[in-house]
Amino acid sequence: MSSLFSARPGRRALVAAVTAGLLLPLAACSGGGSDAGDGGKDGGDAAGGNRSVKMTVLAAASLTDVFKTAGAAYEKAHPGTKITFSFAGSQELVAQVAQGSPADVLVTADTASMDKVKSDTGTPSVIAKNRLVIATVPGNPHKVAALKDLADPKLKVVLAAPEVPAGKYSRKVLDAQKITVKPVSLEPSVRAVLSKVQLGEADAGLVYKSDAQSAAGKVDAVAIPDAQNAVAAYPAAALKQSPNAKDAAAFVAWLSTPEAQKILQDAGFQQP
């Protein structure tokens, strides 16, 4: 190689020209590939075609059925998005958030629960409301017709625990009417109350109207007059710890759209 470049200037010029000719296309390919790759990625994200988003939504137990329907509708309208729901009593969900459990959105069955983790959430918005009803075993054999009937000591009544929103609402309406009820059990969620009645382990229990509607045919529902009832508010908020901040905020906003509101109202919830 030493004699080639030093002894023959003509040959040296030829090799340099050939080498340069080979390197130019390679550099062009490298540069073009990088630009095209970035452009393709950005274009895919902008179109939403290549995005894949997985979100976890912590939701009050009373939203179990309706949110499964709402989640399917949202996923259909947002290809690439997958929502996993975790349902429990609002007090349990708040505890999970406080402990740093990974999630994107929180929806509780009362504003008091949401307020407990306000430092961990964005600004909440109420997406639905609900009211209590008396759930009885099918056929209502004990002829429960009003709240006062729940005081009958022969009646097996089950309520949500005091720390559960449904339990707070239940205690509020019973205390307002000066009705003393001795429940056979206090449950960790309103869905647990519903389950006890469905299984015949209790004669009656206080649940939300939407819960009774979801179990139509398995329980009977006795309406409670508005003047004696309590209104449950459901606030939703994106969690600050969410790795999908924009998507979490988008889902919360979607819950107030006409499409989502129709799903909620069809399930027995009221407009916020």
Side-chain angles (χ1 to χ4, degrees), residues 188-208:
S189 74
V190 70
R191 278 307 173 99
V193 174
L194 183 68
S195 178
K196 288 279 187 178
V197 178
Q198 280 186 255
L199 295 173
E201 296 177 12
D203 301 317
L206 288 175
V207 301
Y208 296 121

Side-chain angles (χ1 to χ4, degrees), residues 123-246:
T123 303
S125 59
V126 175
I127 54 102
K129 291 186 177 181
N130 218 336
R131 291 180 182 273
L132 294 175
V133 299
I134 303 170
T136 74
V137 294
N140 191 7
H142 297 279
K143 308 301 179 185
V144 176
L147 284 171
K148 62 182 179 62
D149 295 332
L150 299 180
D152 185 346
K154 297 179 182 179
L155 198 69
K156 291 189 293 183
V157 179
V158 62
L159 300 173
E163 63 271 17
V164 182
K168 294 177 185 177
Y169 296 131
S170 297
R171 182 52 54 195
K172 180 180 178 179
V173 301
L174 291 171
D175 287 348
Q177 299 302 312
K178 296 180 171 55
I179 298 171
T180 300
V181 175
K182 295 182 178 180
V184 294
S185 69
L186 294 171
E187 300 300 317
S189 74
V190 70
R191 278 307 173 99
V193 174
L194 183 68
S195 178
K196 288 279 187 178
V197 178
Q198 280 186 255
L199 295 173
E201 296 177 12
D203 301 317
L206 288 175
V207 301
Y208 296 121
K209 177 183 177 182
S210 58
D211 293 308
Q213 184 170 315
S214 73
K218 299 177 182 177
V219 300
D220 282 2
V222 178
I224 300 172
D226 287 350
Q228 300 177 12
N229 216 325
V231 179
Y234 289 74
L239 293 172
K240 292 180 179 178
Q241 66 195 25
S242 168
N244 308 295
K246 290 183 179 179

Side-chain angles (χ1 to χ4, degrees), residues 26-101:
L26 289 174
C29 288
S30 176
S34 177
D35 291 343
D38 291 344
K41 180 180 179 181
D42 292 341
D45 286 348
N50 295 333
R51 295 193 71 230
S52 177
V53 179
K54 293 183 179 180
M55 288 196 297
T56 297
V57 175
L58 305 178
S62 50
L63 294 165
T64 299
D65 297 296
V66 69
F67 260 22
K68 289 178 181 178
T69 301
Y74 188 82
E75 290 175 353
K76 183 177 180 180
H78 299 77
T81 298
K82 175 64 178 176
I83 301 178
T84 298
F85 292 104
S86 178
F87 299 104
S90 294
Q91 78 287 354
E92 294 181 32
L93 302 177
V94 165
Q96 291 177 34
V97 171
Q99 293 167 7
S101 178

